[in-house]
């Protein structure tokens, strides 16, 4: 006696009927992989560089195009300030801080260690001016004012820096101060510098209003961009330099052109001039001669 199939039971697809579908899927995957292998950019062949740690990144894809010792921790100097300003821009975006909020300079900020914009105790600066002074002039005095506006203490702010680094996947970095002064336990890798810079320009493109111009007039004050390629090379839109005794001469450069958007990170170059000339050499390979 034949047994009736229960009503509502699913129809079983014969295994032989699935074979053509599986073959089509396998062929599609194979075609996709083959196309990717054909179209993917060839690894970037770097010229001779004095920089000891180098990373070149495609901003849109996040792909690393070149890496020389990019995962070795190194003193980042003022490249640190990108993280500090990142948190300030986060606070502005969340409404915790305004561009027109002000800070009255105290001796602690005016006479802090490191490079300075040149504040005097008693002067009043807006957040917009402080960001310009921090990211363009690399003023540690401006950084300390921003930290005071954003956190109860420097230690609290540094804790936020390390939390943000973890969120961004910066596994080779650790901060102990917001300025980049050489200190034990304060380090970044070149790969993490690129990762940080990519997140900064993607999440806060307004940073380019400061970094992409050679100078800026705000409130009767002038802020000169110390990234020497800005205004001289039309491809370059900033981003940040860093120089200390231990860290050497470093620079993170954001550039764009018809061929795409790129970040070039050079850490511990031989000299101030070399870090910029070597950056230009890499940009010529990426974007064509400027």
């Amino acid at each position: 006696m034949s047994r009736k199939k229960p009503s509502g039971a699913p129809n079983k697809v014969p295994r032989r009927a699935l074979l053509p579908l599986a073959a089509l899927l396998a062929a599609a995957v194979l075609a996709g992989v083959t196309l990717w292998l054909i179209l993917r950019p060839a690894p970037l062949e770097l010229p001779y560089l004095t920089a000891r740690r180098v990373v070149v990144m495609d901003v849109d894809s996040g792909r690393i195009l070149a890496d020389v010792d990019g995962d070795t921790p190194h003193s980042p100097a003022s490249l640190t300030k990108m993280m500090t300003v990142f948190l300030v821009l986060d606070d502005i975006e969340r409404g915790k801080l305004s561009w027109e909020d002000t800070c009255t300079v105290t001796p602690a900020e005016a006479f802090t260690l490191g490079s300075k914009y040149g504040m005097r105790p008693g002067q009043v600066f807006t957040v917009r001016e402080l960001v310009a002074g921090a990211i363009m002039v690399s003023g540690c005095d401006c950084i300390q004012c921003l930290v005071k506006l954003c956190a109860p203490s420097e230690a609290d702010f540094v804790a936020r820096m390390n939390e943000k680094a973890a969120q961004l996947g910066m596994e080779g970095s650790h901060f102990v101060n917001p300025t980049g002064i050489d200190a034990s336990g304060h380090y970044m890798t070149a790969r993490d510098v690129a990762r940080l810079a990519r997140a900064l320009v993607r999440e806060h493109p307004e940073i380019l209003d400061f970094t992409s111009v050679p100078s800026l007039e705000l409130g009767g004050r002038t802020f000169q961009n110390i990234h020497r390629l800005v205004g001289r090379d039309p491809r370059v839109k900033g981003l940040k330099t860093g120089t200390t005794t231990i860290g050497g001469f470093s620079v993170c450069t954001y550039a764009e052109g018809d061929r795409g958007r790129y970040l070039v990170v050079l850490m511990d170059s031989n000299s101030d001039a070399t870090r910029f000339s070597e950056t230009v050499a890499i940009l010529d390979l990426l974007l064509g001669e400027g």
Side-chain angles (χ1 to χ4, degrees):
M1 179 184 292
S2 62
R3 187 176 295 176
K4 285 187 177 181
K5 180 179 171 182
S7 61
N11 293 320
K12 191 172 182 179
V13 180
R15 184 174 297 178
R16 283 179 299 176
L18 294 175
L19 292 178
L21 178 60
L24 284 173
L25 289 173
V29 170
L30 180 61
V33 171
T34 302
L35 184 63
W36 178 80
L37 289 171
I38 293 172
L39 297 179
R40 65 172 178 168
L44 188 67
E45 294 187 8
L46 295 174
Y48 170 77
L49 302 170
T50 66
R52 291 158 183 82
R53 291 160 186 84
V54 180
V55 163
V56 180
M57 176 184 281
D58 182 304
V59 172
D60 293 317
S61 68
R63 197 169 83 88
I64 301 296
L65 305 178
D67 183 326
V68 178
D69 210 12
D71 289 318
T72 299
H74 187 71
S75 178
S78 289
L79 300 182
T80 301
K81 293 182 173 93
M82 289 192 292
M83 176 60 85
T84 305
V85 171
F86 203 141
L87 295 180
V88 172
L89 297 179
D90 279 351
D91 282 355
I92 293 172
E93 183 177 62
R94 293 167 185 161
K96 296 180 178 180
L97 194 66
S98 163
W99 285 109
E100 303 310 317
D101 284 347
T102 60
C103 176
T104 300
V105 180
T106 70
E109 291 93 45
F111 305 126
T112 190
L113 296 175
S115 57
K116 299 177 184 64
Y117 172 71
M119 298 175 160
R120 295 190 303 276
Q123 288 184 312
V124 178
F125 282 74
T126 66
V127 168
R128 192 180 303 277
E129 291 167 337
L130 293 173
V131 169
I135 205 71
M136 296 176 70
V137 187
S138 202
C140 293
D141 44 7
C142 296
I143 286 289
Q144 294 293 4
C145 284
L146 289 168
V147 168
K148 185 170 70 173
L149 291 172
C150 292
S153 69
E154 183 174 311
D156 289 319
F157 190 88
V158 170
R160 285 185 60 193
M161 294 171 72
N162 286 309
E163 289 171 6
K164 187 73 172 183
Q167 292 170 12
L168 295 176
M170 297 167 57
E171 298 178 354
S173 300
H174 185 262
F175 302 103
V176 300
N177 64 63
T179 59
I181 295 293
D182 289 330
S184 176
H186 189 96
Y187 54 82
M188 295 178 73
T189 64
R191 185 183 292 265
D192 279 353
V193 172
R195 186 176 284 117
L196 170 63
R198 178 176 184 251
L200 179 58
V201 298
R202 284 163 63 89
E203 294 183 31
H204 293 294
E206 65 271 22
I207 193 65
L208 300 177
D209 294 339
F210 300 93
T211 65
S212 65
V213 293
S215 66
L216 196 60
E217 297 284 339
L218 292 171
R221 296 183 171 110
T222 301
F223 300 87
Q224 298 287 346
N225 197 332
I226 63 174
H227 193 306
R228 289 170 52 185
L229 297 181
V230 176
R232 299 181 182 181
D233 188 324
R235 303 169 298 184
V236 174
K237 310 302 178 186
L239 201 59
K240 191 73 193 73
T241 62
T243 308
T244 59
T245 302
I246 296 175
F249 298 92
S250 301
V251 63
C252 174
T253 300
Y254 169 76
E256 57 186 35
D258 293 339
R259 299 183 191 175
R261 304 190 298 161
Y262 300 98
L263 283 160
V264 177
V265 179
L266 304 181
M267 299 184 79
D268 200 10
S269 296
N270 276 4
S271 69
D272 175 51
T274 300
R275 62 180 163 182
F276 293 114
S277 63
E278 292 179 353
T279 295
V280 170
I282 295 172
L283 292 181
D284 287 347
L285 293 176
L286 294 166
L287 297 169
E289 293 189 9

